[in-house]
Amino acid sequence: MTRKPRIAVILGSTRDSRFGAKPAEWILEKAQARGDWEVELVDLKDHDLPLFNEVASNAWMPSADARATAWQEKIAAFDGYIFVVAEYNRSITGALKNALDQAYVDWNRKAFGVVGYGALGAARAVEHLRTIGIELQMVSTRSGVHIAGADFFAVHPLGQQNQPLSAIEATVGGSAKAMLDELDWWTRATMAARAEARTKAA
């Protein structure tokens, strides 16, 4: 392989009071520490995405809104993704769903892992995200990070302890390593497959 995989850590909540920045920075540091990826934090709050209002998905025709095409160009530059997931009413945030809907071909045949947080570790939202990923022709890692229960309240400001994520490393560190290792395997596999497909099409 001629270059390092490019991985985006996508912060999927845009609320002013969000907790997601804390686990996003934590997994970003772990991903960067590998040394074999180029990793970037992509905060949805930094992207002025309208609610999806195109005639059709960009699988069928180019998007008309310049903000949508800018987003497509942004995510197209990456080979894999780590979604930092909050659970709202048993699903992912509206902001994350909208960001996924704004593109199609740009997500195709790429891998993703997840870091979920909440009382149940965003388990239901993560499962919903994985089914969305199937429709987007993506590959999900088996392992994911779920910051749940007592661990969640130990590191969340509302739990009054507000400890760093390192305080729960014994609980979630192993799953983080497994997710990152699986993401590496699938990202490199899909990169190679996409390169082979481009060669055959040329």
Side-chain angles (χ1 to χ4, degrees):
M1 188 171 294
T2 58
R3 65 175 179 83
K4 292 182 178 180
R6 298 198 67 227
I7 305 295
V9 175
I10 298 182
L11 179 45
S13 174
T14 58
R15 293 172 62 202
D16 290 341
S17 61
R18 65 186 178 178
F19 168 73
K22 194 170 184 177
E25 292 290 348
W26 173 77
I27 200 65
L28 177 71
E29 290 178 8
K30 285 190 171 297
Q32 290 173 329
R34 292 178 57 93
D36 56 352
W37 294 345
E38 293 180 12
V39 190
E40 181 181 334
L41 178 64
V42 177
D43 188 344
L44 294 186
K45 203 168 186 177
D46 295 335
H47 296 270
D48 180 27
L49 279 175
L51 286 175
F52 182 74
N53 192 32
E54 300 294 332
V55 173
S57 159
N58 73 338
W60 304 106
M61 62 179 62
S63 298
D65 194 309
R67 295 169 294 179
T69 56
W71 173 246
Q72 292 159 10
E73 290 168 4
K74 180 68 177 180
I75 62 169
F78 296 101
D79 304 298
Y81 311 90
I82 300 169
F83 294 105
V84 179
V85 182
E87 183 168 312
Y88 291 3
N89 299 321
R90 301 194 177 210
S91 189
I92 60 176
T93 66
L96 179 54
K97 182 62 166 66
N98 186 53
L100 291 163
D101 290 343
Q102 294 286 353
Y104 184 81
V105 295
D106 318 279
W107 300 113
N108 287 178
R109 299 175 181 178
K110 297 179 183 178
F112 71 93
V114 294
V115 176
Y117 60 89
L120 297 177
R124 297 166 299 194
V126 165
E127 286 308 299
H128 189 192
L129 176 60
R130 284 176 169 145
T131 63
I132 295 168
I134 291 169
E135 179 59 27
L136 295 174
Q137 301 185 47
M138 302 181 80
V139 181
S140 172
T141 62
R142 176 184 181 275
S143 298
V145 181
H146 297 275
I147 303 170
D151 283 339
F152 174 63
F153 290 107
V155 296
H156 195 285
L158 292 180
Q160 298 182 344
Q161 297 180 55
N162 198 17
Q163 298 182 65
L165 266 289
S166 58
I168 59 171
E169 191 76 30
T171 307
V172 299
S175 58
K177 183 181 186 307
M179 182 271 286
L180 294 172
D181 287 346
E182 292 169 21
L183 181 60
D184 184 64
W185 195 95
W186 283 110
T187 296
R188 293 178 188 277
T190 52
M191 286 175 70
R194 293 197 311 276
E196 182 179 359
R198 286 193 298 269
T199 299
K200 289 180 178 179

